[in-house]
Amino acid sequence: MYYQLKREQFIHTDIETLWNFVSSPSNLKRITPQSMCIKITTSNAAEIIYPGMIITYKIYPILNIPLNWITEITQIKTLRFFVDEQRMGPYKMWHHQHIFKEQDGGVLMKDIVTYIPPFGIFGDILNSLFIKKQLNSIFAYRFKAMDNFFPPKVDSNT
């Protein structure tokens, strides 16, 4: 069985600035909870993503146990969207769409994560007990981090 996590956030910046931030793999650590201890292990990683780019990570999602995770950037339409898919890692399947749309003086950023937990029916139980909560927590952290990086502009006329 597959599951989906959908999030939307209004980002207070222009599309080019946001794109430059989110399309740099080095910024992933800046928007991921410290408790995950994420480390990008790709040697000579490009500063900007491109189709076919492989990114390797080491993460510590549970009880400080390290896991290797390999994702591929499978699709990009500059300033509009990109997709990363797991090639090896903790999920049976992971497909993450990052969608950006200019709107009202900023950018509406959408994340759609479609995933299948490992371990069949046991994975479904793990999802309801742990995985879903952890993903929600990670994306809540990202929401706050993005607001910190791109705070609302203060109107000096008030």
Side-chain angles (χ1 to χ4, degrees), residues 3-158:
Y3 299 91
Q4 270 195 336
L5 173 77
K6 295 180 182 182
R7 293 287 179 270
E8 289 188 0
Q9 181 176 6
F10 184 80
I11 307 294
H12 301 274
T13 193
D14 61 275
I15 189 76
E16 291 85 8
T17 300
L18 180 59
W19 182 263
N20 290 335
F21 183 86
V22 299
S23 65
S24 174
S26 62
N27 285 326
L28 184 59
K29 184 173 183 171
R30 299 171 76 187
I31 61 170
T32 302
Q34 290 180 350
S35 61
M36 297 285 291
C37 300
I38 188 169
K39 295 176 185 165
I40 296 175
T41 57
T42 304
S43 59
N44 302 321
E47 272 303 306
I48 300 295
I49 58 174
Y50 56 85
M53 181 179 196
I54 301 293
I55 306 170
T56 60
Y57 316 86
K58 189 168 292 273
I59 58 172
Y60 297 77
I62 306 168
L63 303 173
N64 211 24
I65 299 169
L67 289 173
N68 293 316
W69 196 348
I70 300 173
T71 59
E72 178 181 356
I73 304 301
T74 58
Q75 300 175 50
I76 295 178
K77 182 149 179 125
T78 303
L79 304 178
R80 306 283 288 295
F81 73 89
F82 69 92
V83 176
D84 66 84
E85 296 181 9
Q86 175 186 285
R87 294 296 172 241
M88 184 187 93
Y91 296 90
K92 184 174 180 183
M93 188 273 290
W94 174 273
H95 181 271
H96 185 178
Q97 301 172 68
H98 309 256
I99 303 164
F100 311 93
K101 184 178 180 184
E102 288 182 286
Q103 177 178 310
D104 302 325
V107 180
L108 182 63
M109 181 175 73
K110 296 181 183 182
D111 288 282
I112 303 171
V113 177
T114 306
Y115 65 98
I116 300 173
F119 313 123
I121 289 176
F122 183 64
D124 293 335
I125 295 167
L126 281 176
N127 186 67
S128 61
L129 295 175
F130 175 74
I131 296 170
K132 183 178 176 182
K133 291 175 188 172
Q134 185 180 42
L135 287 176
N136 282 319
S137 174
I138 290 167
F139 276 86
Y141 181 92
R142 284 189 179 175
F143 194 102
K144 289 177 187 172
M146 293 300 286
D147 272 350
N148 287 335
F149 285 113
F150 304 103
K153 293 174 180 55
V154 177
D155 186 357
S156 59
N157 295 328
T158 58

